Amino acid sequence: KAGVTQTPRYLIKTRGQQVTLSCSPISGHRSVSWYQQTPGQGLQFLFEYFSETQRNKGNFPGRFSGRQFSNSRSEMNVSTLELGDSALYLCASSLSSQMNTEAFFGQGTRLTVV
Amino acid sequence: SQQGEEDPQALSIQEGENATMNCSYKTSINNLQWYRQNSGRGLVHLILIRSNEREKHSGRLRVTLDTSKKSSSLLITASRAADTASYFCATAMNRDDKIIFGKGTRLHILP
């Protein structure tokens, strides 16, 4: 069975631009969570979607947003990019809430803002 | 502030030795999970231990949970070169539907 697929794998953007990252979860998984990983802050929770509804949100500014489609695929968007948004963005899928079950992570999208 | 804090931040041991990593957290939890990450790639789930469990095993991995001390440990026995990775604990708190990751322990297995 295919794993979690994140696209693109690498991305370079300029300050002020916006970016959209995509995540295709494992078939049958309804929960998708997004994380930002940086050397300084570590892994930080962005948001979790379950059945097209945002179930929880981390402490990130409104420039970070996401959505989930009926096929459970998810996208996250970052507008007005800042240099500090450079990070590895990881998506995780699970059958139900990631709080209670094993989560499967994608390989991530490495975003560089210049 | 981080909910989970791993200790040590980095660990180097000889192949074949056992590696122990610790995780401390601040508030009461529903469960605690351990993940492994190989050099900036995706995370791999290792073990989930619930707040009413004290110990769990999976192959060469042994996880303990002490809720009175708000701490957990991950033991890897008979380490191998392939165990070289960063290890993270993640806690799911009772009062919040969020998973909080610690900053991880970087484990390096020497040949």
Side-chain angles (χ1 to χ4, degrees), chain A residues 18 34 90 104:
Chain A
Q18 73 154 15
W34 288 90
L90 292 164
F104 296 82

Side-chain angles (χ1 to χ4, degrees), chain A residues 7 18 30 33 42 75 98:
Chain A
T7 56
Q18 73 154 15
R30 296 167 65 188
S33 297
E75 289 180 347
Q98 195 186 349

Side-chain angles (χ1 to χ4, degrees), chain A residues 98 103 105, chain B residues 33-36 43-46 86-88 90 101:
Chain A
Q98 195 186 349
F105 281 78
Chain B
Q33 303 182 50
W34 284 92
Y35 285 85
R36 183 187 75 228
L43 279 74
V44 174
H45 185 268
L46 298 176
S86 290
Y87 292 81
F88 297 88
F101 281 83

